[in-house]
Amino acid sequence: MSDATKSSDTTDAGGEVQGPGLTGSMLTAALVSAVAGLLYGYDTGIISGALLQITDDFHIGTGMEQTIAASILLGAVIGALACSFLSERLGRKGTILVVCAVFVVGSLASALAPNPWLLVAGRVVLGFAVGGATQTVPMYVAELAPARHRGRLVLAFQLAIGVGIVISTIVGATEAVSWRIAIAAATVPPVVMGLLMLRLPESPRWLVKRDRVDEAREVLTNVRADGYDVQPELDEIIEVEELKQETRSRDRGWRGLRRPWVRPALVVGCGIAIFTQLSGIEMIIYYSPTILTDNGFATSTALNVSVGLGVTYLVMQIIGLAIVDRVGRRRLTLVMVPGAAVSLIVLGWFFVSGNDGHDQTPFIIATLIIFMAFNAGGLQLMGWLTGSETYPLAVRSAGTSVQSASLWSTNLLITLTLLTMIETFGVGQTFWIYAGFNVAAFFFVLRFMPEMTGHSLEDIEKHLADGKFSPKDFERAS
């Protein structure tokens, strides 16, 4: 950890280094992050149960079902890329307010759609907001948060995704709520999110980047605990930004992502984002009811399993949120990924060996739950967290944009191909393919992902600039 980072901490009576405490503003920022995550989980998860009603209303086939499910993901890719430019020009706060408005428009357009193609269009708009939120909100919270609490505050976003998924699966399992009402309900949270956002300041790091140092100092003073000396933290932000001002424009923004010294951050960020999707999580969330009903499970059982999976996701996110800043990002991921891989191997065996009948139903459900526990409590925690803290300030908007687009593009590819893979290879073999992706994820994390827990954003950037971004380099610096 750098000297500047250390000097911005305080020391308790026992001599232990402590960061600044959490203020009301930081808790409000965490709440904004949570609402954004809830919208992500709800808007992407609600389609799983709603498709059963939509199919009956519009008399559509499998192809259109996949198109409707995937349309929000296409919009998310567009939103993730577009909001990179918006967050640089309007600021993080202004972009989040725009995203809130788009959430409302997309939800209403989807709920009122008179035919499947207009529903697809509405979900593309809604996806723009989802992608924009994933690009901007975690980055904003990370730039506002003290290093000591950054992991838990950013992961409020990830935790709320689980809440949104649980709510959407419960709504779907009731089979009593019209799909139009279920989708229209998503217009309320973004209004709350926007009102909360009006009470919050702009990112101090974005302000420094715009040469508004006095405003950045005022923001830090307001969001840090009373009596906390913000000057060392501000000096470190200014120092890093001044170094970037001395470089050419090709080291900034989208051009800067091509620079060799930034490449390790891009590899880690995008690699983790892609593996969070290839791990099988979206296969389970989007299509578990379809997979189960196609293999003899009752519809009510399949929907109840979805609720159980959503609750497991949420519980493991809560546990991860509580321990990630103590256990460490890298260590937690390496412990949990092998369990997810083994679970998928066992699931595949049930179907390949023909042990997928009624008698094995409890074991299949238990294995699904175990997979969700290992996946949600490990790799899924890292998707948005690494994006919020890995990239240098000069390219952070572009970096988080590319990472979000990588995640959503992978999600889109999976959504459009999964049913075809199952028809081509079989259910069990498809589970095995995704188990292989988990094995690859383990070795990727082992080789490329450093332990960034406890390091300030500026300290992480200095590691990059010095060419010391490997796991071993961070171990030596700890």
Side-chain angles (χ1 to χ4, degrees):
M1 194 177 296
S2 69
D3 292 339
T5 305
K6 290 178 180 178
S7 66
S8 65
D9 293 331
T10 59
T11 304
D12 65 14
E16 182 181 354
V17 176
Q18 302 289 325
L22 291 178
T23 62
S25 294
M26 284 311 312
L27 293 175
T28 302
L31 185 56
V32 166
S33 179
V35 175
L38 184 146
L39 285 165
Y40 167 4
Y42 184 86
D43 285 330
T44 56
I46 194 64
I47 200 64
S48 178
L51 272 177
L52 300 176
Q53 296 182 36
I54 291 170
T55 301
D56 292 338
D57 284 359
F58 290 145
H59 307 291
I60 57 177
T62 302
M64 180 55 74
E65 284 184 43
Q66 289 189 137
T67 302
I68 291 172
S71 56
I72 195 171
L73 307 177
L74 174 61
V77 174
I78 298 170
L81 294 172
C83 285
S84 168
F85 296 98
L86 290 178
S87 64
E88 284 299 299
R89 286 158 178 75
L90 300 180
R92 297 9 174 179
K93 178 177 179 178
T95 302
I96 293 172
L97 290 172
V98 170
V99 165
C100 291
V102 178
F103 263 123
V104 174
V105 172
S107 297
L108 288 176
S110 299
L112 299 174
N115 60 61
W117 283 112
L118 286 179
L119 175 58
V120 168
R123 281 177 59 79
V124 170
V125 174
L126 187 58
F128 182 99
V130 172
T134 59
Q135 188 274 333
T136 310
V137 173
M139 175 177 62
Y140 170 74
V141 176
E143 291 187 345
L144 206 63
R148 180 169 176 252
H149 300 289
R150 188 177 65 242
R152 278 171 285 179
L153 289 171
V154 172
L155 285 178
F157 176 83
Q158 185 75 41
L159 173 62
I161 294 174
V163 176
I165 291 172
V166 169
I167 294 173
S168 68
T169 55
I170 292 174
V171 170
T174 63
E175 301 183 81
V177 179
S178 164
W179 68 269
R180 294 185 184 276
I181 294 175
I183 292 176
T187 58
V188 177
V191 174
V192 175
M193 181 177 161
L195 293 174
L196 289 172
M197 199 66 215
L198 290 173
R199 297 169 55 88
L200 290 172
E202 182 54 80
S203 160
R205 287 167 171 85
W206 184 83
L207 291 171
V208 169
K209 195 173 180 180
R210 294 285 171 163
D211 295 324
R212 294 157 63 177
V213 176
D214 289 340
E215 292 178 56
R217 181 183 293 105
E218 182 179 354
V219 168
L220 286 173
T221 300
N222 290 335
V223 300
R224 298 291 183 261
D226 292 341
Y228 175 73
D229 183 10
V230 302
Q231 194 59 47
E233 184 177 359
L234 181 62
D235 289 343
E236 188 175 21
I237 297 171
I238 294 171
E239 177 187 350
V240 171
E241 178 58 21
E242 285 177 346
L243 289 173
K244 297 298 171 293
Q245 295 285 1
E246 295 172 3
T247 63
R248 290 177 290 180
S249 62
R250 66 180 183 177
D251 289 324
R252 306 177 66 83
W254 287 84
R255 290 183 178 182
L257 291 179
R258 297 196 293 266
R259 303 299 294 162
W261 73 279
V262 177
R263 196 170 300 140
L266 197 62
V267 169
V268 169
C270 292
I272 292 294
I274 290 169
F275 277 119
T276 60
Q277 306 306 293
L278 292 179
S279 66
I281 186 74
E282 302 305 340
M283 169 180 64
I284 300 300
I285 290 176
Y286 289 163
Y287 288 123
S288 60
T290 301
I291 293 172
L292 294 175
T293 53
D294 286 350
N295 286 274
F297 285 70
T299 299
S300 59
T301 300
L303 291 173
N304 287 333
V305 169
S306 292
V307 175
L309 291 170
V311 171
T312 303
Y313 183 101
L314 176 58
V315 170
M316 292 307 298
Q317 293 281 292
I318 293 172
I319 294 173
L321 180 68
I323 68 175
V324 68
D325 281 327
R326 293 196 296 271
V327 175
R329 286 99 160 114
R330 183 173 185 268
R331 185 181 305 157
L332 184 61
T333 307
L334 291 174
V335 167
M336 300 297 280
V337 168
V342 171
S343 300
L344 289 176
I345 291 171
V346 173
L347 275 170
W349 176 82
F350 280 122
F351 290 95
V352 171
S353 65
N355 290 289
D356 56 344
H358 185 269
D359 292 342
Q360 283 72 40
T361 296
F363 301 104
I364 293 174
I365 294 174
T367 309
L368 281 167
I369 296 293
I370 292 169
F371 162 78
M372 183 62 79
F374 278 108
N375 188 270
L379 189 58
Q380 292 308 314
L381 292 168
M382 304 306 142
W384 305 117
L385 181 56
T386 56
S388 69
E389 63 188 13
T390 302
Y391 301 104
L393 180 60
V395 299
R396 189 166 294 146
S397 289
T400 55
S401 178
V402 171
Q403 179 163 337
S404 294
S406 298
L407 186 147
W408 289 114
S409 296
T410 307
N411 195 335
L412 175 62
L413 179 64
I414 291 169
T415 305
L416 289 173
T417 61
L418 181 63
L419 296 182
T420 302
M421 285 180 64
I422 290 174
E423 291 176 359
T424 303
F425 302 111
V427 176
Q429 290 86 344
T430 301
F431 281 132
W432 284 350
I433 291 171
Y434 280 90
F437 289 142
N438 278 271
V439 173
F442 176 86
F443 286 106
F444 178 86
V445 172
L446 187 67
R447 170 65 179 84
F448 294 106
M449 181 180 173
E451 183 56 81
M452 293 175 282
T453 304
H455 293 268
S456 71
L457 298 180
E458 286 67 39
D459 190 45
I460 294 170
E461 181 165 345
K462 288 174 183 176
H463 272 83
L464 272 170
D466 294 339
K468 297 178 179 179
F469 199 69
S470 72
K472 290 183 178 179
D473 290 325
F474 274 71
E475 287 176 9
R476 286 192 289 266
S478 298

